[in-house]
Amino acid sequence: MSGDSLFGVHGAALEVRSQRMGVLASNIANASTPGFKARDIDFKSALASLETEGAGGIDGATRYRVPTQTSMDGNTVELNQEQTAFAENAVQYQTTLSFLNGRISQVTRALKGD
């Protein structure tokens, strides 16, 4: 039984959500850095790329954000938007992780014969 059939798309989804968490955290950390350009990962595109190209495919799904309100110092981070995206991604990450934990528990019980 391969990992792909055992966990389905959820293993790849967890990897993409983890990478996105890092990108969003970087945006938040650089909210006051002059000239910093906020980035985000397009989840659907990254997931499709990860399945076909491997880990390098996530880089191709990373895009610069277009700010709704420009900053005088060239920084494109909009803190409220970044914090909201971070919180949503964290919930999605936890949901995916919970599913995977449940799946692992099922397999463990099956192997033990419970």
Side-chain angles (χ1 to χ4, degrees):
M1 187 178 285
S2 73
D4 290 340
S5 63
L6 180 61
F7 299 119
V9 72
H10 297 287
L14 193 65
E15 185 174 345
V16 172
R17 293 196 193 291
S18 175
Q19 291 287 328
R20 185 170 185 236
M21 191 85 62
V23 169
L24 295 172
S26 175
N27 290 347
I28 292 169
N30 287 288
S32 61
T33 304
F36 183 82
K37 305 296 182 207
R39 298 176 306 139
D40 198 358
I41 295 176
D42 176 20
F43 180 78
K44 288 182 183 180
S45 175
L47 190 58
S49 295
L50 186 65
E51 292 176 343
T52 59
E53 302 172 29
I58 294 176
D59 292 336
T62 303
R63 307 278 187 260
Y64 287 101
R65 284 196 194 266
V66 177
T68 55
Q69 188 172 0
T70 58
S71 173
M72 296 290 284
D73 64 1
N75 185 307
T76 63
V77 175
E78 295 175 312
L79 197 52
N80 289 338
Q81 181 180 2
E82 299 300 331
Q83 290 172 330
T84 300
F86 187 90
E88 287 173 353
N89 192 66
V91 168
Q92 293 165 342
Y93 180 90
Q94 187 61 44
T95 301
T96 303
L97 191 59
S98 294
F99 175 83
L100 288 172
N101 282 334
R103 184 71 176 134
I104 291 169
S105 294
Q106 286 178 334
V107 170
T108 303
R109 284 194 309 272
L111 290 173
K112 288 181 180 178
D114 290 348

